[in-house]
Amino acid sequence: MSKLSLATKIPRLPPLPTIRDLVKLYRLQAIKQLSQNFLMDERLTDKIVKAAGRLEGHSVLEVGPGPGGITRSIIRRMPRNLVLVEKDPRFMPTLELLQEACQTHVNVDIVQDDILKYPTEMAFAGTPQTVWEEARAPIHLIGNLPFSISTRLLINWLEDVSLKRGAWTYGRASMTLTFQKEVGERIVAPLLDAQRCRLSVMSQIWTAPHLKFIIPGRAFVPQPDVDVAVVTLIPLKVPKTQLPFDLVEKVVRYIFAMRQKYIQRGISNLFPEDVRQAFTEQMFQEADLDPTMRSFQLSVEECLRLAECYHKIIQIYPKIDEFNYRAPKNQRHPLFPTSDVLKEL
């Protein structure tokens, strides 16, 4: 498509106050407890939306639009539908102003809700399903996330990706999200990287994450203490495991629980004391891994080999999955006849 024909399709919104003027007009102040930071620079909001790829004719869910800076940039890319999920009622007037201004170009719905509770499939009702292994779904989740919920929200959505539920009921929907710079670097951290952690492995099992660019903290109002990373995550056609999400998350969490120690130390805490050594040795032997490696030295595939071994063990001894080494000692009683287990081992 030529630049000229694209320009003729971009909607020209009626004259509107700038985001900065709207913030002043409605006396909107970012609430620190909600990790709110406004992005006023239109060049940067356009750059975030551009990182999401083609939006024309697609469906978009924007998380926490606030006064609507990124929202304007999304509208100019002419999606078919745009759903805005905003928890803070103070932003409703500015979002309704945008909704009214673009009603002839883009269908905008405003939902006042907590994104951690909002069923994302509702945003895309009526969107045709695509074959997972073929083209990506014409669906995008975009947001300048509050730092306080970003990691939790991402883990929730990765689980949805693994189960092909929520927004991913319709196919391989993409995510373009902001994180603290350090968190963004962790998400994409490769093998042997000092930033590699549970979030790295979990993200890379089900998606292909890419850190697109860094926004300096001074671009936000109020200015946060950190810079901000823009990350896209595209679900893989074929995930790297078919194991249950909760099981994989548990094993990976234990792998990275003691970063400065050998990985056998973290893995051993999956098991009650009486059978700890025997099961730990069994897992590393079957996974063909050196128990004295450090967690950041493990590839995604090696983490999954350990998860496979743990899965086999709890299939035979399901009570082991109930063991929690962090529980008070008087509650860590054996959950099964450990003597019988030891005989089998």
Side-chain angles (χ1 to χ4, degrees), residues 255 257-266 269 291-297:
I255 288 172
M258 299 182 177
R259 293 180 59 85
Q260 304 306 316
K261 299 183 182 294
Y262 297 148
I263 51 174
Q264 66 179 355
R265 184 68 181 84
N269 286 328
T292 64
M293 295 172 70
R294 310 282 182 176
S295 56
F296 66 90
Q297 295 176 302

Side-chain angles (χ1 to χ4, degrees), residues 282-296:
Q282 178 183 328
M283 280 189 63
F284 282 97
Q285 184 177 358
E286 291 188 7
D288 191 24
L289 289 173
D290 179 355
T292 64
M293 295 172 70
R294 310 282 182 176
S295 56
F296 66 90

Side-chain angles (χ1 to χ4, degrees), residues 47-64 70 73-75 77-85 107 109 115 118 120-125 127-128 130 135-145 153 157 161 166-177 212 231-235:
K47 191 174 180 181
I48 291 172
V49 174
K50 185 178 179 181
R54 177 187 170 187
L55 300 188
E56 183 184 347
H58 292 189
S59 297
V60 179
L61 166 63
E62 185 187 354
V63 181
I70 294 177
S73 295
I74 293 173
I75 289 170
R77 306 284 290 191
M78 289 194 65
R80 182 173 63 89
N81 292 311
L82 172 58
V83 176
L84 309 174
V85 179
N107 179 35
D109 290 320
I115 191 60
Y118 177 70
T120 52
E121 65 274 14
M122 297 294 293
F124 307 108
T127 302
T130 57
R136 284 162 47 188
I139 290 173
H140 307 265
L141 292 86
I142 300 174
N144 176 27
L145 301 182
L153 183 62
W157 282 354
V161 171
W168 295 273
T169 302
Y170 306 93
R172 292 190 298 118
S174 69
M175 294 173 270
T176 303
L177 308 169
K212 292 293 189 175
V231 179
T232 61
L233 299 102
I234 310 298

